[in-house]
Amino acid sequence: MKEILDAILSPDSTAADFAHVKLPESYRAVTLHKDEEQMFAGLDSRDKDPRTSLHLDEVAVPELGPGEALVAVMASAVNYNTVWSSIFEPVSTFGFLERYGRLSPLAKRHDLPYHVVGSDLAGVVLRTGAGVNAWKPGDEVVAHCLSVELESSDGHNDTMMDPEQRIWGFETNFGGLAQLALVKTNQLMPKPAHLTWEEAASPGLVNSTAYRQLVSRNGAGMKQGDNVLIWGASGGLGSYATQYALAGGATPICVVSSPQKADICRAMGAEAIIDRSAEGYRFWKDEQTQDPREWKRLGGRIRELTGGEDVDIVFEHPGRETFGASVYVTRKGGTVVTCASTSGFMHQYDNRYLWMSLKRIVGSHFANYREAWEANRLVAKGKIHPTVSKVYPLEQTGQAALDVHHNKHQGKVGVLCLAPEEGLGVRDAELRARHLPAINLFRELDERTIRRGRDN
């Protein structure tokens, strides 16, 4: 592994050097163990601790197949699907691996008693499989997490419709929280040259998800002038939605849960902000009963912030806790677009406010290759910025996942894999200098929050 890292860190390395670098027989990876999938049985979700289920193991380098690449991972990041994996909710990911393994002899490689997790990476291509022409050893890349087979016609208009569509590192093995990763080469995109490895690794999943959900015609199709309600607007997903709304001429109405998170939204350029904790919104009277008066109160607050207008789009991902309110506050003919359910998968809402006001609910799941490429292009051009607030070493991935699980993070939490320290990998210093305040925004605000906590 040292030879690989030396080649990456050397400014004189060529494609031939990477093509001939010796591959190890094994590598370090963050894994789940199949024989532990019942370890949290009987516990509430919040009491399940990723630090006990995520292991740092030495695992065998997988066989390289056609159309695939083996990538040296300099950095990765934690997404909510890593949290779901680590607490075995809503189901164990080993069921995904078993089903994938039945697809073909090549897919059988993924059905193992351990699962290498992680759906983001920034790194360097080491090897490519048969039939790969667009990528070569030495290419600096990021990866999006859509894994498809494309043997069915269903996926050729929108690859997200492929019957064999999976999320790499969640529904497949050999993910990005490791020193090496196995990906299909149609997951690869150029690494933004002005970003460090940890910054470049962080946008992948959430940036592409936000792009499809909010901007793409496959999602809400946001346009200039739209009012967009964004739940969790300072978080890993919401922070990108906020950036897209601002960059696209829309007005984000940012819902956050603390003054510190409100400060982040203001620093991004948002003006309409609702601190749901400070304003005391309680959308559920008890576990079974919602409170429509609270929906109405939220709607009134939105109109105060928009000059009397309702929202055209609700950017939904909390799910059960907020979905009834989301349907209610959307304007007549508007759209609720949902990509997750971090507070619960069983949504309840009053359908009268949907059907009689001709509203739409649109399901959105990650992004196709074209959407992911466009989202990455905007990052590479300095139009959309990474939102890294904190970076952990690979050995502390469990703690990083716990931070995300308990919503203690801002933006994205990065993980160093092969990179020996933060700050490496910048190739375009001039572009970086122009955007450095935006790039460092989440880090600086997180540091201020930590200092404020110490002072108190």
Side-chain angles (χ1 to χ4, degrees), residues 156-169:
H156 283 262
N157 185 44
D158 174 8
T159 50
M160 285 302 301
M161 297 299 177
D162 184 12
E164 299 298 337
Q165 172 268 319
R166 293 174 174 84
I167 297 299
W168 161 73

Side-chain angles (χ1 to χ4, degrees), residues 47-69:
D47 296 329
K48 299 176 182 180
D49 191 341
R51 294 174 300 182
T52 62
S53 58
L54 292 173
H55 305 275
L56 186 59
D57 291 335
E58 194 80 13
V59 301
V61 175
E63 172 193 356
L64 185 64
E68 295 180 340

